[in-house]
Amino acid sequence: MNKHEIKISFEEYDNPAQLNEADRALCLEATEALKKSHSPYSNFRVGAALKLQSGRIVYGSNQENVAYPSGLCAERVALFHWGANYPEDPIESIAITAYTDDFTLTRPVTPCGSCLQVIAEYEKKQDQKLKIILFCQDGPLWVVQGSESFLPFLFFEERLAQS
């Protein structure tokens, strides 16, 4: 038997004011994206903003549907928009925030497994980890380098890419 250990690290800040100017600005963009959430069923709004190498910002917000599986998370809305429109302009970072009127969020909300797998796919495509910034209105802010910190056993099968 071999025993293995996986460790992750992340930075925690009290609020966005402690970040550098570019990351603070991206958090503001994610908050703007939050306003376009279509979440009449859960009342749980999520906003995401991608900062591309060119400086362009790509937005996403969660989009619910009465047939729950038909909705899509904010992260994937932003990432798929990038993939369809700006795939030659690498993603540097993503800021993600959430808000609900129903209760106070006291810690950042992390991306779901499906969103993490999509983040991982695009990190692999551009051969570069993303800076992932997670925050909420009334809690700490977390900065993580790359999707593997959340999902260390990502699904990749190299043989699927062979012809």
Side-chain angles (χ1 to χ4, degrees), residues 56-93:
R56 180 185 302 274
I57 305 296
V58 175
Y59 303 93
S61 59
N62 60 319
Q63 301 296 311
E64 293 180 353
N65 188 282
V66 69
Y68 279 120
S70 300
L72 200 58
C73 301
E75 299 93 314
R76 283 182 283 158
V77 168
L79 290 161
F80 291 154
H81 182 78
W82 169 80
N85 294 283
Y86 310 106
E88 303 306 318
D89 190 358
I91 305 166
E92 292 183 347
S93 53

Side-chain angles (χ1 to χ4, degrees), residues 2 8 35 88 101 122 139 150 155 158:
N2 294 317
I8 64 162
K35 296 175 184 176
E88 303 306 318
D101 292 325
Y122 287 140
F150 297 101
F155 173 75
E158 299 299 332

Side-chain angles (χ1 to χ4, degrees), residues 1 23 63 66-67 71 75 77 82 84-85 96 105-106 157 159:
M1 185 216 30
D23 290 346
Q63 301 296 311
V66 69
E75 299 93 314
V77 168
W82 169 80
N85 294 283
I96 305 162
L105 294 172
T106 58
E157 178 51 66
R159 293 171 294 179

